[in-house]
Every structure is written in structure tokens, then in C-alpha cells.
Amino acid sequence: MVNVLVVGSGGREHALGWKMAQSCLVDKVFHAPGNGGTIENIPINPEEIDKLMQFAIKHDCFTVVGPEAPLSKGIVDKFTENKLAIFGPTQKASQLESSKIWAKQFMQRNGIPTAPFGIFDDANKAKEYVQSLNYPVVIKADGLAAGKGVIVCDDKKDALSAIDEMLVKNSFGSAGSSIVIEKRIDGIEASYIALCDGQTAIPMATSQDHKRIFDNDKGPNTGGMGAYSPTGVITDVLAQKIQKEIIEKTISSMKREGIPFKGFLYAGIMVKDGEPFVLEYNARMGDPECQPIMMRMDSDLYEYLLASSQGKLESLPKISWKKETAVCVVLASNGYPDSYPKNEKISGLENIDDANTMVFHAGTKQEGDDVLTNGGRVLGVTALGTTLESAISNAYESVGKIKWKNKYCRMDIGKKGLAFL
């Protein structure tokens, strides 16, 4: 029996810990720092790498890293140097996410399909470039911006404003000191996540995220307002194409460049005219995609993460998935992704008693017997259903039972998937 240390405090980390706790090989699951829904919480922040190492040594833990920030700061390298078992990519490998510029140049030199782009750190040159184009663009901060460093522009006015936001007003701090300006590909977006061990890549279940704050994909980008799995956007034929031309090509190219990738490789895919293009990479599991994917996973997650860290995925069978669909509706604090209230008492959690529904906590904290809001994305209500329609219905039925003063959620999670049934 082994102990597991899950690094992070979001819904993704709650879902990963919940799933690993079901393994007959796992004794205890610790969360650092965890949230109001996780049990064995350790008051260590994800970027306090030395403290996390000391805890892992003391409690003989296999460590699983959820968020991108500690990966970009080299947590995996430090654990590995100290012969501690850990799941996730190295600092160099996580550049696929931590630097949009590095990732775009990597795709370009390795023939991985992505939109044409330019790279700038000077606002005037960036504006000249935009003025020379005859198509709409997307403007991205180079560095990590908690899922919010992407501005989708409808016209040149939007693009010039976004350039000012990043390069003049410095709204994204150092993350936006260099930017990528790329051609806007209008198609259908989906998430394709694979589990990798440096040379082998096993696909996870497909999913589709809902990044915008308002219904019908209006308003600014967020960290994600809900997701469902599987998605009909990615057909079996398209999945094979993505696996071969994007995922496997990424893994073999990283290995050839001397940067083997171990961990969850997430490709944000835009599908246009049946062809997949990489919008971005993430070097970790998506959030909220993780929640419905974990609800559907029938295999032992711990076994697969351990094999990934050891370079032994080839020895394991394909991952087994429940036939049901899962839908995750994110309940947020009104005002997110900008400023929002905290410390509001949540009621109704005790009324969720359906075996096919899980409430994964994110921005919550426990105070005595009360659970309070403690972040922008607060809960991920995740339900199974025999069909996408029934999973949507089950999720929203539970959503209606949970209340706090400034609760907000989108009311259309999963609905765009109905068109692909």
C-alpha cells in the first residue's frame, strides 16, 4: 500500500484524489493544500517545493501534480533528483504550456498542425503586423495566466485593444510581456488528453470544455465553466488522426529533442472542415475536463499514473471507460473571472445523495461545520447519465439544490454536444 500526495487545490485535484482513493493499492490520499471538500489537507502551497518534498519523504508518498505553476517551476525535476516518485512533466517539457511562444515554434519546426502566427514584444510592431493581415486574430500572452491570457478578436479594433492590454498596460504582468498573434481558426473546439510516459501515449476519454463565462460562449475566457465527456465532436476517425498526427508526433518530437514528456498531454483542438489544429497545449489534466473524465474512468488511475512516471505504459492494457456520459457544471462566484465575493456560506450539499453525482470542490474552505466560498470557481457538480441529455438533466437537478448568495453558473453546459448525437 502506498500514500499519494496530490498537489493543488482545485476541482481537478479533488477529482484525481477521489479517483486514486478507490485504488486497492492506495492507503491514504493527502492534498496540499486541498480545499473544503478534500479530507487529508496539508497546509503547504503548490509552489513550496522543498516543503512538499519533505512531506513526501516523511509519509512515503507518490506525488501527483495537478496545476501548471509548480510544473513550470521544476517540481518534477527536484523530486526526481531526490529519487522521489512523482507524476508530471519536467520543467523543460512543461514549456509546452508555460510558454506559448516555445510551443508554437515547437509545432512549426515539427510539422504539427497549428494556425499561422507572429511573435512580438513591441506594441507598435505588433499593431503594424495586425494592420497588414486580412483575417481576424487571437492574441495570447506568452506565459501562464490561469487560463485567461487569450483574447479572441472579432476585428482589428479588438486586436489593437488586446495588444495595448498586454504590451502597454501590462495587464497580464510578465506573462504578457511577449505575445503570440495567430490567425483565428473558426471551427469547433474540443479537448484531447493523453497519458504519456516519454515514448508511449494512451488516449483518455474525449471531452469538450466551455471556456467563456456566459451562455452561448459569450463574454471573456475563464478557467472553464463546465465540460462533458465523451464528445461527438471528435469522431473515431478524427481521434485516430489527432492521436497520430498531433499526440504521437508531439511525443516523438519531444523525445528527439531530448525533452521526453511524461504526464498528461492536453491538446486544445480546433476542428475545421474535419481537420484538427492545435490551439494550445497544456502540460497537465484539464480543469474542468478532469471531473467528467474521472467519473467515467473504470480503470485504476493510480496504476496508470505510476506506470507513466516509470516509463512503463506499454505494459498496461487500454483504459476502460463507462458507457455513460458525464457532465460537469461549474458553480462560480458572481463576478468571476474578475473580482468576486468570498466567505459566503454554501447550503444544500447534504441534499446531493445520488450515487451517479459527485460534487467536486474547488474554491471552498471548511470553517467549523460550514463550507464557505473561497475562490472564483467554487464547485464542479458532475453527473453521469445514460445519454448526454440525461447527464445534463441530472447535473442541473443537483445544481438547483446547492445555494449561496452569489452563486452563478452557465445554463447551457453540454448542449452544443447534442448537435453531434
Side-chain angles (χ1 to χ4, degrees):
M1 298 286 278
V2 70
N3 294 326
V4 171
L5 173 60
V6 179
V7 176
S9 62
R12 163 186 52 218
E13 288 76 30
H14 188 181
L16 291 171
W18 169 79
K19 185 64 186 167
M20 282 185 289
Q22 297 167 25
S23 171
C24 61
L25 303 170
V26 171
D27 185 14
K28 261 188 181 176
V29 176
F30 300 100
H31 286 82
N35 56 45
T38 50
I39 300 165
E40 299 276 358
N41 289 345
I42 313 304
I44 305 175
N45 289 324
E47 293 171 51
E48 294 182 298
I49 295 173
D50 288 339
K51 287 184 181 177
L52 291 168
M53 274 175 39
Q54 288 160 17
F55 184 89
I57 292 167
K58 185 177 178 183
H59 296 272
D60 195 22
C61 294
F62 174 67
T63 301
V64 175
V65 187
E68 58 274 24
L71 293 172
S72 73
K73 288 189 163 30
I75 185 172
V76 170
D77 309 67
K78 289 191 178 175
F79 270 61
T80 306
E81 283 162 17
N82 286 274
K83 297 186 169 45
L84 295 171
I86 187 167
F87 170 81
T90 61
Q91 187 173 30
K92 273 189 175 177
S94 67
Q95 284 180 109
L96 282 175
E97 175 169 13
S98 64
S99 172
K100 295 273 195 308
I101 291 172
W102 193 91
K104 290 291 284 189
Q105 291 173 332
F106 168 83
M107 286 185 266
Q108 187 179 55
R109 68 178 173 265
N110 288 296
I112 294 163
T114 191
F117 65 97
I119 293 165
F120 300 92
D121 58 13
D122 178 278
N124 291 326
K125 287 180 181 172
K127 288 176 181 179
E128 281 173 24
Y129 178 72
V130 163
Q131 295 286 16
S132 74
L133 300 175
N134 60 356
Y135 49 74
V137 298
V138 178
I139 298 186
K140 301 178 176 180
D142 174 46
L144 297 175
K148 305 180 194 88
V150 174
I151 301 175
V152 179
C153 306
D154 289 325
D155 51 35
K156 288 186 177 175
K157 184 182 169 191
D158 283 355
L160 298 175
S161 169
I163 290 166
D164 277 339
E165 208 60 47
M166 292 190 190
L167 293 181
V168 179
K169 295 179 187 172
N170 203 28
S171 298
F172 294 88
S174 60
S177 59
S178 294
I179 61 172
V180 172
I181 301 176
E182 68 179 38
K183 182 177 182 179
R184 174 173 161 177
I185 301 175
D186 289 315
I188 303 159
E189 196 172 340
S191 305
Y192 193 99
I193 301 167
L195 181 59
C196 310
D197 69 356
Q199 51 194 10
T200 301
I202 298 179
M204 304 295 288
T206 61
S207 57
Q208 188 175 37
D209 186 15
H210 299 63
K211 285 192 171 63
R212 303 290 192 101
I213 186 68
F214 300 127
D215 285 12
N216 302 313
D217 293 333
K218 304 292 186 191
N221 272 333
T222 69
M225 292 303 296
Y228 69 98
S229 172
T231 175
V233 172
I234 298 178
T235 61
D236 289 347
V237 170
L238 186 56
Q240 287 174 8
K241 184 174 267 197
I242 294 169
Q243 180 71 16
K244 187 177 178 186
E245 295 179 12
I246 293 172
I247 299 297
E248 290 176 5
K249 193 180 267 192
T250 300
I251 294 304
S252 61
S253 300
M254 290 287 280
K255 186 183 176 188
R256 189 176 62 251
E257 293 190 9
I259 316 169
F261 188 99
K262 294 181 178 183
F264 286 120
L265 177 65
Y266 171 132
I269 299 291
M270 186 66 83
V271 182
K272 185 172 175 64
D273 302 328
E275 294 298 321
F277 297 86
V278 180
L279 292 177
E280 64 176 7
Y281 289 112
N282 289 333
R284 36 78 192 177
M285 176 58 86
D287 184 350
E289 294 98 328
C290 183
Q291 291 85 308
I293 289 173
M294 290 301 108
M295 284 286 279
R296 294 189 57 233
M297 189 173 181
D298 253 348
S299 302
D300 184 329
L301 177 66
Y302 167 73
E303 276 193 90
Y304 282 80
L305 300 193
L306 181 66
S308 162
S309 71
Q310 296 173 336
K312 295 179 179 176
L313 279 179
E314 214 170 23
S315 64
L316 293 180
K318 278 184 178 177
I319 295 171
S320 171
W321 302 100
K322 291 184 173 73
K323 286 183 178 156
E324 291 100 324
T325 295
V327 170
C328 171
V329 178
V330 170
L331 305 189
S333 289
N334 207 9
Y336 174 78
D338 297 317
S339 59
Y340 48 82
K342 286 187 179 183
N343 298 311
E344 296 186 340
K345 184 179 173 182
I346 302 169
S347 63
L349 290 168
E350 69 283 356
N351 298 328
I352 313 297
D353 53 7
D354 176 6
N356 287 319
T357 302
M358 260 300 294
V359 180
F360 293 110
H361 288 236
T364 66
K365 64 179 178 181
Q366 190 93 26
E367 231 171 61
D369 293 333
D370 295 334
V371 178
L372 306 180
T373 65
N374 191 39
R377 293 190 295 167
V378 179
L379 300 168
V381 179
T382 310
L384 291 168
T386 51
T387 62
L388 177 54
E389 292 99 325
S390 64
I392 292 170
S393 173
N394 293 344
Y396 278 105
E397 187 181 338
S398 291
V399 162
K401 296 175 182 177
I402 300 169
K403 295 182 169 48
W404 71 88
K405 186 181 175 185
N406 277 287
K407 169 186 146 185
Y408 168 76
C409 68
R410 278 181 59 160
M411 296 306 296
D412 64 345
I413 301 300
K415 286 182 183 171
K416 57 186 168 185
L418 298 174
F420 296 93
L421 297 178

